[in-house]
Amino acid sequence: DQQVKQNSPSLSVQEGRISILNCDYTNSMFDYFLWYKKYPAEGPTFLISISSIKDKNEDGRFTVFLNKSAKHLSLHIVPSQPGDSAVYFCAGLLYNFNKFYFGSGTKLNVKP
Amino acid sequence: EAQVTQNPRYLITVTGKKLTVTCSQNMNHEYMSWYRQDPGLGLRQIYYSMNVEVTDKGDVPEGYKVSRKEKRNFPLILESPSPNQTSLYFCASSFSRVGTGELFFGEGSRLTVL
């Protein structure tokens, strides 16, 4: 039973435009939500996180939005750059249990 | 350079032949964990460790063992590998109590069990 779902396996965006990656979750007990980026043949790297008590967190070109009533979060990348082409994983963290639950990933392709 | 190092990066083995995937971190992290990545399933947690001699099961621990005798090392042991353990494995580490969720991942170990 996947507690975190990414329903779009892939997304293609033109350079300079906005990329929106979506994630849904079922467990309302998650304390944090996170986004990781993964390039081929490398391990995932942390991108941005948001506490469950917030609804927005911004870091440069990356903004994560959390809609708790819909159990939905999204990652916005503005403007998108070719170097952003990677697989993006969202994850939920149960802090007291030290457990992370990852989605299946969305492959983003930013076209020059 | 701060890093998490896994070995081997690639391995092909046969059913039943015991193997160990090593993981070492040089950041003095207390928390370490193992994940497997399979198509359509994302990353699933196998085991984690909060500190030396403290380990606990993740969501898919069957068929795996771990040990944490030293803070920097967290090996993953497959006592009797089976084909359904063919996967891409990642080791990760973090500061104690995983903070806001920033894990540092190794580069991955691709295991094929024939």
Side-chain angles (χ1 to χ4, degrees):
Chain A
D1 177 35
Q2 279 195 278
Q3 300 192 35
V4 176
K5 292 183 180 177
Q6 294 175 258
N7 293 316
S8 298
S10 63
L11 175 68
S12 188
V13 171
Q14 203 68 38
E15 181 179 5
R17 307 293 286 267
I18 184 172
S19 296
I20 300 177
L21 295 93
N22 294 302
C23 183
D24 297 299
Y25 62 94
T26 58
N27 190 340
S28 58
M29 302 303 293
F30 284 131
D31 299 289
Y32 286 93
F33 299 91
L34 311 107
W35 286 93
Y36 282 80
K37 179 167 76 172
K38 184 184 180 303
Y39 292 118
E42 294 183 11
T45 55
F46 174 79
L47 190 58
I48 191 170
S49 67
I50 185 169
S51 165
S52 62
I53 63 173
K54 301 276 180 72
D55 53 21
K56 177 183 176 182
N57 188 27
E58 201 170 345
D59 184 2
R61 296 186 296 114
F62 302 92
T63 303
V64 57
F65 295 93
L66 176 61
N67 182 335
K68 287 185 285 294
S69 60
K71 291 185 179 158
H72 178 85
L73 66 153
S74 60
L75 174 69
H76 293 211
I77 306 173
V78 184
S80 302
Q81 300 172 354
D84 296 329
S85 297
V87 176
Y88 289 78
F89 291 98
C90 71
L93 168 61
L94 293 175
Y95 184 83
N96 286 332
F97 295 95
N98 303 297
K99 287 193 171 183
F100 292 80
Y101 293 88
F102 285 83
S104 54
T106 296
K107 186 174 184 179
L108 173 65
N109 178 33
V110 180
K111 296 177 286 187
Chain B
E1 181 190 351
Q3 58 185 5
V4 178
T5 304
Q6 298 178 223
N7 280 295
R9 295 287 312 279
Y10 301 91
L11 179 64
I12 301 175
T13 189
V14 295
T15 299
K17 186 176 182 181
K18 180 180 178 180
L19 69 93
T20 299
V21 186
T22 63
C23 174
S24 181
Q25 50 92 5
N26 62 1
M27 294 169 279
N28 203 35
H29 286 165
E30 293 181 355
Y31 178 92
M32 297 185 75
S33 59
W34 275 102
Y35 296 83
R36 58 178 290 173
Q37 182 188 357
D38 301 291
L41 296 176
L43 293 150
R44 292 180 293 165
Q45 192 173 43
I46 304 171
Y47 269 94
Y48 67 93
S49 168
M50 291 301 299
N51 212 328
V52 176
E53 304 292 0
V54 181
T55 63
D56 211 341
K57 296 178 181 178
D59 286 326
V60 288
E62 297 79 18
Y64 304 95
K65 284 176 58 177
V66 292
S67 68
R68 187 91 183 272
K69 294 185 171 58
E70 304 167 283
K71 196 171 186 179
R72 62 183 292 127
N73 296 322
F74 190 44
L76 179 70
I77 303 155
L78 286 74
E79 294 270 2
S80 183
S82 61
N84 65 11
Q85 292 179 296
T86 292
S87 187
L88 179 58
Y89 291 87
F90 289 101
C91 179
S93 70
S94 178
F95 298 104
S96 63
R97 297 310 305 277
V98 301
T100 56
E102 183 173 359
L103 292 171
F104 294 81
F105 282 87
E107 293 183 310
S109 296
R110 185 167 292 281
L111 171 64
T112 302
V113 183
L114 301 174

